Amino acid sequence: MASLARIRPSIARRIPAFARAIQTSADTTQLQDTITDHSQPFTVKLHEESFRSYRCDLPTLDVQVQKDELLKMYKDMQTMRRMEMAADALYKAKLIRGFCHLAIGQEAVSVGLEYGITPEDRVITAYRCHPFAVMRGGTIKGVIAELLGRQAGMSNGKGGSMHIFTPSFFGGNGIVGAQVPVGAGIAFAQKYMGQKTATFALYGDGASNQGQVFEAFNMAKLWDLPCVFVCENNKYGMGTSAERSSSNTEYFTRGDKIPGLQVNGMDIIASRHAVQYARKWVTEGNGPLLMEFVTYRYGGHSMSDPGTTYRTREEVQRMRSTQDPIRGLQRYIEEWGLASEQDLKQLDKEAKAEVDQAVEEAKQSPEPFTKDLWTDIYYKGTEPPFMRGREREEVRRFPLSFSPGTTLTTGI
């Protein structure tokens, strides 16, 4: 391991000195118009290095935004961060057990994605999924209760964060990279049914070298599926830096004949604009697109990872203090005269109160009953006449019927 660590600087030097690099500052967008009416859209200009492209044109740098939308995005990012911070505290209190992967620092990706798509579009991702589940129609209470293993959870307390779904969100999947071919399948269904909608299949840089990822790329391009493959490049796959695991760290170029777009994933305006561009690309019949968000996670890979054995505390602190997506949007709002510091503090308080209430309600929810272990296995109405349990004698017959207070120990 020491020898690998020593060669890392030479790996970094493989990138040609003349190569244009993406920048990840959260507050480099400039106001273009004089804002005279806060109820009307106005134009801002993104930093010229907000995007890099492969086999496609760059999105325009001039973007129209609105006050109300920017304030909503700010509130949503604050709320998602508060929710993840609450999960952190619950895990440390041993109320959440098992695996728990948080997305603190990556809020501009989940919120920017939601503001760039429609309710009819589809999203599927890996296990850093809590914000996506809420943004796609779930609830904070439902996510927290699921992490706690309570009945009020979005999967009735039986799935954990790797099995949370809504009608338009196909879950946070635990098998590394497996959500990518599933996402291609969802896009195939959309095309088959003639729907002018898009599927966004997200995966991390740590999953980018999976064979099934490239197989999905190939099929999607063969059939020109309306799928946007999204690499959330937060620089580290578990405890391994991108440079140590991938010979080509420009993930947006790795789709072969699939065009690609690299995006500043720390600027919420750039993120939303890129998603709108990608959605338009695939729904207009151009086939799939590969999009890479360059972002950063502040915590470890999971709650069991301190996140400081493979990177320095100074690196994390530098990202927090200089490139935080929430602070970047806060600066925009204040400098452009859209809201005062006090107005934003009020939104912060509202976000905290919303999450605090959801946590308390989730904690009050009971744990699943023993009989609940026999439900939600089959789609309602498709259950078999009976189902075996752990042993031959342990059999459950459908429909299940129990008297109040029944405890199941043997077959029915």
Side-chain angles (χ1 to χ4, degrees):
M1 293 299 290
S3 61
L4 284 175
R6 284 196 295 271
I7 69 170
R8 185 177 172 187
S10 65
I11 295 175
R13 285 195 294 270
R14 290 178 185 173
I15 301 174
F18 57 82
R20 180 173 177 269
I22 197 79
Q23 61 88 36
T24 54
S25 296
D27 57 359
T28 53
T29 297
Q30 299 295 318
L31 181 66
Q32 293 294 95
D33 296 339
T34 300
I35 304 175
T36 57
D37 185 351
H38 284 179
S39 65
Q40 296 300 314
F42 56 94
T43 303
V44 297
K45 190 178 186 66
L46 296 168
H47 191 282
E48 62 180 5
E49 294 178 352
S50 295
F51 309 117
R52 294 172 68 201
S53 66
Y54 170 75
R55 289 179 173 263
C56 64
D57 294 332
L58 287 169
T60 61
L61 296 178
D62 291 331
V63 183
Q64 280 205 328
V65 294
Q66 287 185 282
K67 171 188 173 179
D68 289 347
E69 184 180 51
L70 293 177
L71 290 175
K72 287 178 182 177
M73 289 195 294
Y74 176 84
K75 171 76 176 296
D76 283 339
M77 283 203 291
Q78 277 285 19
T79 304
M80 294 305 96
R81 181 167 294 184
R82 288 284 183 183
M83 176 182 69
E84 296 287 65
M85 290 169 62
D88 179 288
L90 291 167
Y91 192 95
K92 290 173 178 174
K94 298 185 178 181
L95 292 173
I96 294 175
R97 300 295 185 116
F99 294 102
C100 185
H101 306 82
L102 305 180
I104 299 173
Q106 300 182 202
E107 294 84 1
V109 175
S110 56
V111 177
L113 177 68
E114 183 59 32
Y115 278 79
I117 62 178
T118 71
E120 291 73 32
D121 294 320
R122 301 292 183 254
V123 176
I124 184 170
T125 188
Y127 34 69
R128 215 175 299 281
C129 66
H130 310 150
F132 294 101
V134 175
M135 298 300 296
R136 286 270 86 191
T139 64
I140 299 169
K141 175 184 175 181
V143 168
I144 295 296
E146 190 60 38
L147 297 177
L148 292 170
R150 306 300 175 90
Q151 290 183 28
M154 289 175 63
S155 293
N156 302 320
K158 297 183 290 183
S161 63
M162 299 187 193
H163 301 90
I164 301 178
F165 308 90
T166 74
S168 63
F169 177 62
F170 286 69
N173 296 261
I175 300 175
V176 176
Q179 71 279 8
V180 179
V182 176
I186 298 167
F188 177 84
Q190 290 173 313
K191 182 171 183 176
Y192 185 81
M193 293 187 289
Q195 298 172 343
K196 290 293 183 181
T197 51
T199 293
F200 287 76
L202 295 96
Y203 60 100
D205 55 284
S208 64
N209 298 317
Q210 286 277 323
Q212 59 191 327
V213 172
F214 293 98
E215 292 177 40
F217 289 174
N218 181 58
M219 288 187 287
K221 185 58 180 175
L222 274 174
W223 299 331
D224 278 338
L225 301 181
C227 189
V228 183
F229 297 105
V230 183
C231 177
E232 286 187 276
N233 177 12
N234 60 23
K235 311 296 181 67
Y236 298 93
M238 295 188 70
T240 304
S241 67
E243 293 85 355
R244 290 177 61 195
S245 65
S246 298
S247 60
N248 178 8
T249 58
E250 295 181 324
Y251 298 104
F252 70 108
T253 69
R254 295 177 65 173
D256 191 10
K257 293 189 176 182
I258 297 178
L261 181 67
Q262 189 181 51
V263 183
N264 175 5
M266 302 303 275
D267 186 316
I268 183 71
I269 298 177
S271 296
R272 188 208 63 168
H273 187 52
V275 169
Q276 292 173 330
Y277 173 95
R279 184 186 186 279
K280 186 173 185 289
W281 177 276
V282 300
T283 56
E284 288 185 349
N286 295 310
L289 184 75
L290 204 168
M291 185 159 62
E292 174 193 352
F293 282 112
V294 182
T295 182
Y296 197 83
R297 58 170 162 83
Y298 295 160
H301 170 72
S302 68
M303 286 299 298
S304 61
D305 169 24
T308 54
T309 57
Y310 47 88
R311 58 184 183 178
T312 64
R313 295 181 185 275
E314 289 75 20
E315 175 184 312
V316 178
Q317 185 54 41
R318 182 177 70 253
M319 293 296 295
R320 278 182 174 272
S321 60
T322 65
Q323 301 185 42
D324 184 75
I326 299 179
R327 297 284 77 79
L329 181 55
Q330 177 184 356
R331 179 181 169 186
Y332 293 153
I333 291 171
E334 292 180 0
E335 287 190 354
W336 299 343
L338 305 178
S340 67
E341 182 181 357
Q342 291 304 314
D343 294 332
L344 295 181
K345 284 184 177 180
Q346 180 59 37
L347 293 180
D348 297 345
K349 289 181 181 179
E350 292 173 6
K352 183 178 184 303
E354 181 181 355
V355 171
D356 288 347
Q357 180 179 348
V359 168
E360 290 307 310
E361 291 178 0
K363 288 164 69 174
Q364 298 304 313
S365 177
E367 296 180 356
F369 299 124
T370 305
K371 65 181 179 65
D372 293 335
L373 298 177
W374 297 89
T375 61
D376 300 318
I377 299 170
Y378 293 90
Y379 185 78
K380 287 181 172 57
T382 67
E383 301 91 347
F386 64 90
M387 183 165 45
R388 267 187 57 180
R390 296 161 297 175
E391 301 173 355
R392 186 180 299 275
E393 295 75 20
E394 189 177 28
V395 177
R396 298 293 179 265
R397 301 189 181 279
F398 293 90
L400 296 173
S401 59
F402 305 97
S403 58
T406 298
T407 299
L408 299 181
T409 55
T410 59
I412 298 176

